[in-house]
């Protein structure tokens, strides 16, 4: 059993991990992340153009591009460059949207050659998609030329107040993360640490050789990053679910992979999966003498907070284990990440019914990712996740003041 003398300094360990000089990394870039509590969205700050202007953007782990409401700038950017239809970069950005032979044949038309590259942009929170976006390039500090889509202002509907677009972090070639990997010349890794207040997202390698950063990395448990031919959303395989050590019996298989999302606030489960899960959780809660109360939207299962103890990992409620590739590999979710305090005396299970036919049967939401260090390694196709940092008297917000993250430019 670890002594308190080993546990207490972990917050200092976390500070060290992202506050060491940039020369200690092998090419990395860190950005601050804050949570907007009215929308439950996670935002980062980028500075872009000439003159440089700061703007907030919503992070999307499954997003395929960076799109911006370019009309929101106070002054047009002098460094903004149009990407033309005839360019290879236009073809690359369009990806599966366009057939290569049709694109090549269009080059014979001199009118098409001088047209701007039209590309779609999507607000993945509302599902709104527009086709009239324009692919452009501009300067992101420090001195990175990155592609993004100028999208119409109407696409901002549903985003947190003040947000000017979305930052996509999936594996597609023109996502923000892929462009940063190429521009910085770093390993294709994303380390994400979300917080109810402030956290960080880091692109590239973390210190592994030196103490104490290596202790955190050694705590990561790894599971395969699934490849879905239809989408680039990061997903993991969940073989089974246990609640307080008891395996939940499901009427339908859990197959299809569990998607990890920063734009879905709470974990969503396909209706039949949710029904089995809710029933099993209710049984485990009754053993602990938890009192069920009327549900509070969007949640289906709520309890009285009265008489429920509190520990360093949140309310003392049944522990949820997502069992991954083997019984020995599991993601444990404690009260801090499973219960949502909706009032002074009511808390609700932060898992919701996702409907009969969702695109993904299980989507692990942002609330369940908070205060967990999650690392996506696209080179090895693995996902690493730490135990809840609260078990070590730390949190992702400890990274704020020690983060090397500074706004970068577009």
């Amino acid at each position: 059993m670890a002594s308190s003398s080993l546990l207490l300094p972990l917050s200092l360990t976390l500070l060290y991990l992202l506050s060491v000089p940039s020369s200690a990394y092998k090419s990395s870039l860190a950005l601050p992340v804050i949570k907007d509590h009215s929308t439950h969205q996670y935002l980062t700050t980028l500075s872009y153009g000439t003159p440089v202007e700061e703007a907030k953007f919503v992070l999307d782990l499954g997003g395929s591009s960076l799109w911006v409401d370019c009309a929101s700038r106070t002054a047009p950017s002098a460094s903004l460059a149009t990407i033309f239809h005839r360019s290879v970069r236009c073809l690359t950005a369009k990806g599966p949207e366009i057939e290569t032979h049709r694109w090549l044949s269009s080059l014979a038309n001199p009118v098409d050659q001088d047209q701007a590259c039209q590309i779609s942009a999507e607000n993945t929170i509302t599902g709104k998609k527009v086709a009239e976006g324009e692919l452009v390039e501009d300067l992101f500090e420090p001195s990175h030329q990155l592609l993004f889509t100028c999208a119409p202002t109407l696409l901002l509907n549903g985003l947190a107040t003040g947000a000017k677009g979305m930052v996509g972090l999936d594996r597609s070639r023109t996502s923000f993360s892929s462009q940063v990997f190429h521009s910085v010349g770093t390993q294709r890794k994303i380390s994400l640490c979300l917080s109810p207040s402030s956290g960080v997202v880091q692109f590239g390698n973390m210190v592994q050789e030196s103490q104490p950063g290596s202790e955190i990395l050694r705590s990561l448990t790894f599971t395969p990053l699934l490849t879905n031919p239809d989408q680039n959303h990061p997903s993991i395989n969940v073989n089974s679910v246990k609640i307080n050590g008891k395996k939940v019996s499901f009427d339908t298989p859990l197959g299809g992979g569990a998607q990890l999302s920063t734009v879905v606030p709470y974990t969503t489960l396909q209706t039949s999966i949710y029904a089995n899960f809710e029933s099993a959780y209710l049984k485990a809660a009754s053993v602990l003498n938890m009192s069920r109360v009327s549900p509070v939207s969007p949640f289906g299962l709520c309890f009285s907070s009265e008489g429920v103890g509190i520990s360093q990992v949140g309310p003392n409620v049944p522990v949820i284990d997502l069992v991954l590739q083997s019984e020995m590999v599991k993601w444990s979710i404690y009260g801090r990440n499973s219960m949502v305090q909706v009032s002074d005396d009511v808390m609700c299970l932060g898992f919701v019914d996702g409907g009969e036919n969702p695109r993904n049967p299980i989507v692990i939401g942002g609330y369940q990712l908070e205060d967990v260090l999650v690392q996506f390694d696209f080179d090895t196709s693995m996902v690493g996740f730490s135990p809840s940092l609260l078990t070590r008297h730390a949190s992702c917000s400890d990274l704020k003041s020690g983060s090397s993250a500074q706004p970068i430019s577009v």
Side-chain angles (χ1 to χ4, degrees):
M1 180 175 179
S3 67
S4 59
S5 63
L6 291 177
L7 296 178
L8 290 175
L10 189 66
S11 60
L12 299 178
T13 297
L14 287 168
L15 287 172
Y16 177 86
L17 185 60
L18 273 85
S19 63
V20 294
S22 59
S23 59
Y25 298 109
K26 185 179 179 180
S27 301
S28 65
L29 172 68
L31 294 174
V33 179
I34 60 171
K35 183 174 184 177
D36 179 79
H37 287 276
S38 63
T39 60
H40 309 290
Q41 295 167 15
Y42 302 92
L43 297 93
T44 192
T45 300
L46 303 176
S47 303
Y48 69 100
T50 306
V52 174
E53 291 188 12
E54 280 191 4
K56 295 179 181 178
F57 294 85
V58 176
L59 284 180
D60 182 8
L61 273 177
S64 61
S65 66
L66 167 65
W67 64 263
V68 183
D69 172 26
C70 296
S72 66
R73 282 185 60 93
T74 57
S77 173
S79 52
L80 185 75
T82 298
I83 304 301
F84 291 103
H85 172 75
R86 66 177 182 270
S87 68
V88 173
R89 286 187 293 177
C90 179
L91 175 63
T92 301
K94 287 179 178 289
E97 292 183 13
I98 187 171
E99 296 177 17
T100 305
H101 72 274
R102 290 179 57 192
W103 175 80
L104 290 172
S105 63
S106 71
L107 298 186
N109 187 335
V111 176
D112 287 344
Q113 290 185 27
D114 293 327
Q115 287 182 346
C117 180
Q118 296 293 310
I119 192 167
S120 63
E122 181 179 8
N123 180 326
T124 52
I125 292 172
T126 63
K128 175 71 174 178
K129 191 172 185 177
V130 296
E132 62 268 23
E134 183 175 315
L135 188 66
V136 296
E137 183 181 53
D138 209 337
L139 181 65
F140 285 71
E141 293 176 353
S143 303
H144 300 308
Q145 290 285 344
L146 300 183
L147 297 174
F148 61 97
T149 302
C150 277
T153 303
L154 63 86
L155 209 59
L156 296 179
N157 293 335
L159 298 189
T161 301
K164 301 304 180 184
M166 300 188 74
V167 172
L169 303 181
D170 77 4
R171 289 178 284 185
S172 58
R173 285 186 287 181
T174 54
S175 70
F176 177 80
S177 50
S178 293
Q179 293 191 75
V180 168
F181 296 148
H182 177 75
S183 180
V184 177
T186 183
Q187 290 183 317
R188 297 196 306 149
K189 290 182 180 179
I190 298 175
S191 299
L192 180 69
C193 212
L194 300 179
S195 164
S197 52
S198 58
V200 68
V201 57
Q202 181 166 319
F203 304 88
N205 200 26
M206 280 186 164
V207 176
Q208 299 186 38
E209 297 83 7
S210 61
Q211 293 288 343
S214 58
E215 295 178 11
I216 299 175
L217 296 180
R218 283 201 301 268
S219 76
L220 299 183
T221 297
F222 287 89
T223 191
L225 179 61
L226 301 185
T227 301
N228 188 324
D230 299 323
Q231 53 185 317
N232 286 315
H233 295 78
S235 300
I236 59 175
N237 190 41
V238 176
N239 284 329
S240 64
V241 177
K242 292 182 178 180
I243 298 177
N244 264 6
K246 291 192 64 175
K247 188 174 182 179
V248 180
S249 179
F250 292 102
D251 295 333
T252 57
L254 297 180
Q259 178 184 320
L260 279 67
S261 176
T262 52
V263 297
V264 174
Y266 306 104
T267 294
T268 63
L269 307 174
Q270 187 270 343
T271 295
S272 64
I273 295 175
Y274 177 80
N276 296 140
F277 177 81
E278 181 188 64
S279 177
Y281 194 92
L282 192 56
K283 289 179 182 177
S286 65
V287 173
L288 299 180
N289 296 317
M290 294 170 60
S291 300
R292 186 176 185 179
V293 299
S294 299
V296 178
S297 180
F299 309 108
L301 188 57
C302 298
F303 300 91
S304 169
S305 300
E306 186 177 352
V308 177
I310 301 292
S311 70
Q312 67 192 51
V313 291
N316 295 327
V317 297
V319 177
I320 301 166
D321 290 325
L322 305 181
V323 182
L324 306 180
Q325 65 264 37
S326 75
E327 290 290 322
M328 299 297 293
V329 182
K330 60 184 180 181
W331 186 328
S332 296
I333 301 174
Y334 299 97
R336 155 64 184 86
N337 295 96
S338 65
M339 282 293 168
V340 181
Q341 198 75 36
V342 296
S343 69
D344 290 341
D345 54 1
V346 174
M347 59 184 182
C348 297
L349 183 63
F351 289 67
V352 298
D353 187 340
E356 290 283 356
N357 298 296
R359 188 171 185 180
N360 297 89
I362 302 174
V363 179
I364 301 174
Y367 190 77
Q368 281 67 47
L369 298 177
E370 290 178 357
D371 290 320
V372 175
L373 179 62
V374 185
Q375 185 179 88
F376 302 90
D377 190 332
F378 296 139
D379 288 325
T380 62
S381 291
M382 299 293 286
V383 180
F385 56 93
S386 72
S388 170
L389 299 183
L390 302 181
T391 63
R392 299 294 188 92
H393 302 276
S395 71
C396 288
S397 61
D398 291 326
L399 301 179
K400 180 182 178 184
S401 60
S403 173
S404 61
Q406 297 294 330
I408 66 168
S409 288
V410 196

